[in-house]
Amino acid sequence: MKKDGFENKSIDIIIPVGLDEEPDLQKSIGSIIELHRKAGFRKFALFGPSKGWRGVGYPPKECFEEIADRILEFKKGLRDTDILVGWWNTLTLKSGKYGSHRIVRIDGSESYFSNCPLAPAFQKRFSADVAFIAEKAAPYMIVFEDDYGINCHRGYGCFCELHLKEFARRTGKHYSREELREKLMDGTDEAVALRLKWGELSRDSLMELAAHVRKAVDRVTPWMPMGSMQPGCADADGDSTRAVAEALAGKNHRPFVRLHGTSYSNDDVSSAPQNIFHALYGRQHLPEKFILYHESDTYPHNRFFMSAGKMKTLMASAYSYAFDGSTFQVRQHLDDPNEDPGYYEMFARECRRLNALRDAAKKCTVSGCGLISSPMGFSRNENWENGWVRAFAHFGIPYTTLESRVNVLSGKLPNALDDETIRRLLRKGLLLDGEAAKLLCDRGFAPEIGAEVTEAPEKTYSKIAADICGKERIRDAFIHGNTGRLMDGCFTFSPYGNGSFQQLKPLSSKTEAVTELLDFRDHPFGIGMTRFENSLGGRVVLLAQGVKNNLSSSLFNYRRQRLIQELVVWLGAEEIVYVKECARVFCILNRPTEKFDHEFYGVVTLIDLSPDPLESVELRIPADWCGKCKIELLDIDGKWKKASFEFGEGSVKILHPMTICEPLYLAFRKK
Ligand SMILES: [Zn+2]
């Protein structure tokens, strides 16, 4: 088989390089060689045409001729090296007016520069331009910009005549845009069904254009790998990631996708787990054969915005998730593009370690509590993401997006799950926030969760919410390890949100109140958390608060951390590892797949998301690991070395200091 650039065994890093960053192309070539020499990068994605064309119109033929010539110049300049150059097509749908057919938003306005993927003239022209570059310049691969979406053109789209016509064909009923505007926006079941159908149409229209491109390229260079960059709207586009990547790959290639998962213009390290959660979901739900790249994007690519430390944190997570590689923005896209050495020097130091980490993670499954999410949230215009990500990450409790022994739901997510799935989850261990618990009650599952969950009547709510000095008290049976038993109340002052609040009413004495809510005079007025064993054999824990938009000290505190940690074990996660008595140490748990089960118990990634250094870190570990394993630490050279540690009762103390953004990678091996 012909080598196509994807056969490498190590982490596959692709560095974007602007085709016209440097007025002097030879300098640009020199800067690539410099990066190759300094950091070992071998693959570069030359990007163009310029996004400046958006305001002018779809680029003329000469622009693509120029791009092809430039790629050839790069190849010529690099011919004595083993460097590969691909083409990153940066103008897909947001590519400047072509003909008269634009993306039409639901309010009838036309996008100024985005072309509809169903427009026949655009399909023809776009495919021909891609095929032209493929044939003339023969980059090692072609990847498409993340403007390849339907719902990223400043509104819900595309409601052009062709999209409406195709929708009529599929549904057997012609809807006008005005009718759809009315129907799609309300919350009825009919609207949900229609949105799902509309999502399918959006996805299929993207797939259709991708298939056109594949066909045109197959005529001239069938060997050409082509892949996509997942746009932020991929879920709203009918969960389009898989379909688009498969259409671009065609029959003869492994699909490849860059999954989004970074933070633009933001260096908040404590948000890294949330930044990369969608990518973890993609990693765990796309077919095994897909080649997955993490969006290691430092936008706007200088350290006034993102530190190399935050990028290291994201990459440590991505390779703990066993990503195949990264599209890694290490350059400013200006002349002298390598001016800021921060990112590539970080990688040059870390790459052996990240490779060894990824190799270990490849033998594993990311494990922990199941933070169930659903891209189908779009059908109800709802957030798809599990609202517990931040709490679990900051409490040091590992999670996965796969259904597990213990699962966790929040907000409106139950709306995306059918009754059968809910019943299955109720037979295991289930942790619910107030909003999710209420939805389950509304669907008749109160007996299985052990409580009626209701919204507080307006008058009661106003009274409770006005009390910013209320408290929550842990009841006697649940104060293990706590010297104190109070937590801030659910309406304590929180500048970044308190989340929602629901009333929990236990159905019988079988439902245990874990905490009680107190007003400022210490009078109990409700229940904060419950636990319950149901008749299906499952266990359920409820939290009265909603976790979405909740950054309050009522949720984030040491006592809540201990409670949630102990309760997930009670729910059934006996096999879990978690970080004890530390704020904000992110913990990723990799458990070996069956094939590698004899080798080790697990690989644990620990990342201090707080600027405070730690002398050591104590982990709760499963009973069968205690005293029976040896622990190794991954060093900077990518070698597993004996770690210093002390076993405690059901725990182990790792005697290595930790500082922010300097992850520790531990392997628990069988003796
Ligand atoms: Zn359209």
Side-chain angles (χ1 to χ4, degrees), residues 504-560:
L504 307 182
K505 293 183 184 152
L507 291 179
S508 74
S509 58
K510 283 189 189 155
T511 304
E512 297 170 89
V514 177
T515 66
E516 56 192 344
L517 305 171
L518 309 173
D519 69 11
F520 73 102
R521 285 180 288 221
D522 276 352
H523 296 152
F525 68 89
I527 289 173
M529 292 180 85
T530 60
R531 70 174 203 185
F532 174 66
E533 206 161 340
N534 63 30
S535 59
L536 304 172
R539 291 178 168 191
V540 182
V541 169
L542 308 181
L543 174 74
Q545 303 175 44
V547 289
K548 189 183 164 196
N549 299 327
N550 186 343
L551 288 176
S552 74
S553 53
S554 182
L555 177 59
F556 291 94
N557 65 70
Y558 295 103
R559 294 162 193 182
R560 184 84 65 193

Side-chain angles (χ1 to χ4, degrees), residues 88 96-97 101 106 134 167 189 253 274 304 326 332 397 407 486 489 599 603 606 632 643:
W88 172 4
K97 284 180 183 171
H101 193 140
I106 198 163
F167 198 56
D189 286 348
H253 298 274
Q274 286 166 286
F304 287 93
S326 289
Q332 54 185 352
I397 311 173
N407 297 292
L486 291 175
E599 277 188 30
V603 174
L606 298 173
E632 291 174 351

Side-chain angles (χ1 to χ4, degrees), residues 60-72 132-133 136:
K61 183 85 190 156
E62 297 77 57
C63 172
F64 293 95
E65 281 167 2
E66 215 174 283
I67 286 176
D69 288 342
R70 282 208 156 217
I71 295 175
L72 289 170
F132 169 77
I133 299 228
K136 184 157 183 207

Side-chain angles (χ1 to χ4, degrees), residues 96-150:
K97 284 180 183 171
Y98 183 73
S100 57
H101 193 140
R102 226 67 57 224
I103 286 208
V104 179
R105 305 183 191 104
I106 198 163
D107 63 1
S109 62
E110 263 192 10
S111 159
Y112 180 66
F113 50 61
S114 300
N115 299 298
C116 169
L118 286 181
F122 180 68
Q123 287 180 344
K124 203 170 156 198
R125 175 68 199 273
F126 184 72
S127 311
D129 289 334
V130 174
F132 169 77
I133 299 228
E135 185 178 20
K136 184 157 183 207
Y140 86 92
M141 60 87 188
I142 297 174
V143 67
F144 294 86
E145 174 74 350
D146 61 6
D147 63 346
Y148 198 81
I150 293 283

